[in-house]
Amino acid sequence: MHSATATATAPTAAERTLDTADWAALTSELDSHGCALTPRLLDPDQCRQLAALYDRPELFRTTVDMARHRFGSGQYRYFTHDLPEPVAALREALYPRLLTVARAWAARLGRPAPWPDSLAEWTARCHAAGQGKSSQILLRYGPGDWNALHRDVFGDLVFPLQVVIGLDVHGTDYTGGEFLLVEQRPRAQSRGTATVLPQGHGLVFTTRDRPVPSARGHYAAPVRHGVSTVRTGRRHALGLVFHDA
């Protein structure tokens, strides 16, 4: 295991993959829809290995039963800070790339951009503010399970983008279970987006709102996310959040 704040002397596989991604196209998708798919970040073996970690409770700080809390149906577990190497590497590789978008969005909305260049420094700020619990999530859904619309906001310090990575093959390992994003619009009906998560690919999406152009500049459109009902099989996903709880 490696700490999420570890730094690498050579580019990791995740960094190499993200270096070749079309970030102009990804950013355009985020600006237009509030979400965007990345290239494959994990190979099938890595996906299966990460999904199998769900059955090792010693790796997690807590387990949440969604039905008990009326969050939906199914379970998820929060990792401890001693993250598996692929999870730590992905957070390190994604943060500086998402930071560019986060700062641009803050500028459009006239908001402060408190996020430093380093993920380690940002994590330290979260901990100093009392947000000291790991927020990296491994989710498991079975037939009939779903996730209610929500936001992963745990305190005053929030990073405006997060990533979910599909660990199973849609249509083979499970059916249903699309990722849902619902955006509220002023004086209009909400807009919904449904996305199938390809195995190993990440979906970058807005944590709580996004800038939308208007006649007077930009306004913050509130956004929530969830998961539609799984019809058959078992669905696992890895959630990467860049602020702690």
Side-chain angles (χ1 to χ4, degrees), residues 18 68 78 82 88 101 109 112 120 153 161 172 174 199 222 226 233 241:
L18 290 169
R68 178 183 175 189
Y78 286 105
D82 192 20
V101 180
L109 293 171
V153 175
L161 296 160
T172 300
Y174 71 98
Q199 186 186 45
V241 181

Side-chain angles (χ1 to χ4, degrees), residues 49-232:
Q49 290 166 9
L50 281 172
L53 296 182
Y54 199 90
D55 294 317
R56 294 180 58 191
E58 70 275 13
L59 300 178
F60 303 91
R61 66 173 178 84
T62 192
T63 299
V64 177
D65 184 309
M66 287 191 273
R68 178 183 175 189
H69 297 281
R70 304 185 72 179
F71 294 163
S73 177
Q75 277 190 351
Y76 58 87
R77 287 179 162 168
Y78 286 105
F79 281 102
T80 68
H81 282 300
D82 192 20
L83 296 173
E85 191 278 335
V87 179
L90 281 169
R91 291 186 79 235
E92 289 284 351
L94 283 161
Y95 178 81
R97 293 160 176 85
L98 300 183
L99 180 61
T100 301
V101 180
R103 288 173 172 169
W105 281 13
R108 289 176 200 168
L109 293 171
R111 292 176 174 173
W115 315 289
D117 293 341
S118 161
L119 176 59
E121 185 180 347
W122 171 241
T123 300
R125 290 187 190 181
C126 289
H127 292 188
Q131 295 176 217
K133 298 177 182 177
S134 171
S135 56
Q136 312 318 306
I137 313 168
L138 192 59
L139 305 103
R140 171 180 282 179
Y141 302 83
D145 289 343
W146 56 284
N147 198 342
L149 295 173
H150 66 284
R151 299 185 182 98
D152 296 313
V153 175
F154 310 116
D156 292 335
L157 298 185
V158 178
F159 192 79
L161 296 160
Q162 58 194 87
V163 181
V164 61
I165 300 172
L167 301 180
D168 300 301
V169 179
H170 186 269
T172 300
D173 296 321
Y174 71 98
T175 61
E178 296 84 4
F179 183 89
L180 304 175
L181 204 69
V182 176
E183 176 183 305
Q184 294 176 246
R185 298 183 297 165
R187 299 175 299 282
Q189 297 294 325
S190 297
R191 182 179 77 165
T193 301
T195 305
V196 170
L197 298 181
Q199 186 186 45
H201 292 249
L203 182 74
V204 182
F205 63 98
T206 179
T207 300
R208 63 180 178 186
D209 55 26
R210 73 180 188 92
V212 175
S214 71
R216 299 181 179 179
H218 287 80
Y219 69 91
V223 179
R224 296 182 295 165
H225 66 276
V227 174
S228 70
T229 303
V230 173
R231 301 301 181 91
T232 62

